[in-house]
Amino acid sequence: MSKLGREVGQFRDPWGLVRRMLSSGDHTARWALMHTAASRLAAPVDALLGLAEKRRGPFPASSDLPLILVVGPPRAGTTLLYQVLARCLDVSYFDNLSALFPRAPLTGRFLFGRPGRETGYGFRSYYGNTSGWYAPNHGFNVWDRWLGDHPYHARQSLSEAAATDMREFFDAWLERTGKPFLNKNNRNADCVPLLAAALRNAVFIEVVREPEYVAQSLLLARAAIQGRAEYGWGLDSQQVELGARREAVLDSVCDQVIRIHEKLDRAEAAAGDSRYLRISYEDLCSDPAAIVESVAAYIPRVELRPGADLGAIGTISTRNECRLPGSEMEYIRQRLRIPT
């Protein structure tokens, strides 16, 4: 199921969201709606495949191939980095096809997948959703098995059985693909210490964006997705009373950004220098080829995809532009203590 479909219970105005998506003129938004409908049609097949996947075995040996996990605040450019790395690095990842089979991602991916089609997509996205069957997917349907199904918060502890099941799943994935694994999921930023302890081959890449633009984008996302800025959206979000003064809404978004950054600072300390890399969104947009090369140099056993032309990417336009009234951006900067 797509991210939009799985979160429908969290939406304050789901039908209004559908109307806004259809009227947006955004191809990726409409594709996400189609993907949600397709997941409903695939449900009977998924149920059958799920029975087979539960009986998988024998369990593979532990793999030394890395699990590359992109984390960061929502609206910081994590999806963009995911797309760029998936295009250029010789890695495997969850795609929109495997997301149709939440009970059997391994079986669905390798039964219906078509190797070699991974590069046929661009860098557009709609609030974390991508278009195209072989485009990168956040993989909530897989992570939910161990981290719970709340879209904005993850479990903070795992039983030994759950941790073992997680390791065995990814060992099986790495054995089947023979390639390092790449994934982006912002919710994983809520539990990096847990993942670092359970997955010894996990390496984390955090995307850092100028915080006032993260706050601005979160505020605009609330209106676009939830229909009202008072309703929270994204990791660590909180709701504001309807009709609250505008400053209260701005405070809520700024507090969300601060909490996430504090959490990621603790995450870096838990993972350690050899397993945690920070990437600037602004640098990613200005020189994506250099970012790809730095990631490949940082993580052992990660290589460029055969035939990848880094120079063909060029530069990517940033969204670091003021889209709010100047007084509100100034309020956000002061609230976040950003020098002007």
Side-chain angles (χ1 to χ4, degrees):
M1 186 182 298
S2 77
K3 182 179 181 182
L4 293 169
R6 72 181 295 279
E7 286 184 353
V8 71
Q10 299 290 326
F11 295 146
R12 302 293 178 169
D13 180 22
W15 293 113
L17 172 60
V18 171
R19 289 193 299 271
R20 289 189 292 276
M21 293 174 70
L22 290 173
S23 63
S24 68
D26 190 305
H27 166 76
T28 307
R30 296 182 179 185
W31 201 94
L33 290 173
M34 184 274 292
H35 187 270
T36 298
S39 69
R40 300 293 192 271
L41 296 175
V45 176
D46 177 46
L48 292 174
L49 295 180
L51 295 174
E53 187 153 315
K54 284 182 179 179
R55 296 192 294 267
R56 72 176 188 269
F59 296 118
S62 296
S63 176
D64 290 329
L65 288 172
L67 304 171
I68 309 164
L69 305 182
V70 177
V71 297
R75 312 306 298 157
T78 51
T79 301
L80 176 60
L81 178 63
Y82 188 17
Q83 292 171 307
V84 169
L85 295 181
R87 169 78 68 87
C88 299
L89 297 180
D90 193 19
V91 294
S92 63
Y93 50 85
F94 299 139
D95 58 25
N96 287 328
L97 178 66
S98 63
L100 295 179
F101 308 102
R103 297 179 182 87
L106 273 169
T107 307
R109 167 67 172 82
F110 295 103
L111 184 61
F112 299 110
R114 294 171 61 186
R117 291 290 301 277
E118 290 91 341
T119 59
Y121 55 84
F123 297 142
R124 293 186 60 84
S125 65
Y126 184 81
Y127 298 100
N129 292 273
T130 60
S131 62
W133 293 114
Y134 303 99
N137 184 278
H138 41 70
F140 266 105
N141 58 299
V142 178
W143 293 111
D144 284 355
R145 296 182 178 191
W146 312 293
L147 304 181
D149 60 3
H150 194 290
Y152 305 149
H153 299 284
R155 289 179 181 143
Q156 298 302 299
S157 63
L158 289 180
S159 67
E160 184 55 39
T164 299
D165 184 65
M166 183 193 298
R167 287 191 292 269
E168 288 175 346
F169 173 87
F170 284 109
D171 284 338
W173 182 281
L174 294 171
E175 181 184 58
R176 292 286 296 273
T177 64
K179 297 181 179 182
F181 170 78
L182 172 70
N183 177 249
K184 164 261 171 177
N185 192 305
N186 294 116
R187 190 184 60 178
N188 285 351
D190 197 40
C191 60
V192 169
L194 178 155
L195 294 173
L199 303 170
R200 61 177 179 76
N201 51 337
V203 179
F204 303 90
I205 305 179
E206 178 191 339
V207 181
V208 180
R209 182 184 182 187
E210 294 183 21
E212 66 265 44
Y213 293 111
V214 174
Q216 173 183 250
S217 193
L218 283 170
L219 186 67
L220 297 174
R222 289 181 174 209
I225 300 297
Q226 300 287 41
R228 297 188 61 128
E230 294 95 331
Y231 293 132
W233 180 85
L235 176 66
D236 263 345
S237 61
Q238 294 180 352
Q239 181 177 332
V240 176
E241 182 180 356
L242 291 181
R245 59 190 179 89
R246 184 65 171 177
E247 288 82 1
V249 177
L250 298 179
D251 285 341
S252 176
V253 170
C254 289
D255 288 341
Q256 181 182 359
V257 172
I258 292 170
R259 285 193 301 271
I260 295 172
H261 278 285
E262 290 175 345
K263 189 168 295 185
L264 288 168
D265 285 341
R266 294 192 296 270
E268 181 182 23
D273 293 341
S274 64
R275 301 174 63 193
Y276 202 96
L277 176 66
R278 278 195 164 110
I279 295 294
S280 162
Y281 164 76
E282 291 76 20
D283 289 346
L284 171 64
C285 292
S286 64
D287 194 351
I291 294 297
V292 172
E293 291 174 339
S294 68
V295 170
Y298 180 79
I299 305 176
R301 305 188 66 179
V302 172
E303 300 177 351
L304 295 180
R305 186 181 295 278
D309 182 3
L310 300 187
I313 302 177
T315 60
I316 301 171
S317 298
T318 75
R319 302 299 299 274
N320 286 1
E321 55 190 25
C322 184
R323 301 172 62 192
L324 297 173
S327 60
E328 293 191 358
M329 283 299 290
E330 180 60 25
Y331 184 94
I332 288 173
R333 291 190 179 101
Q334 291 184 6
R335 185 67 175 71
L336 296 173
R337 299 181 181 179
I338 299 172
T340 56

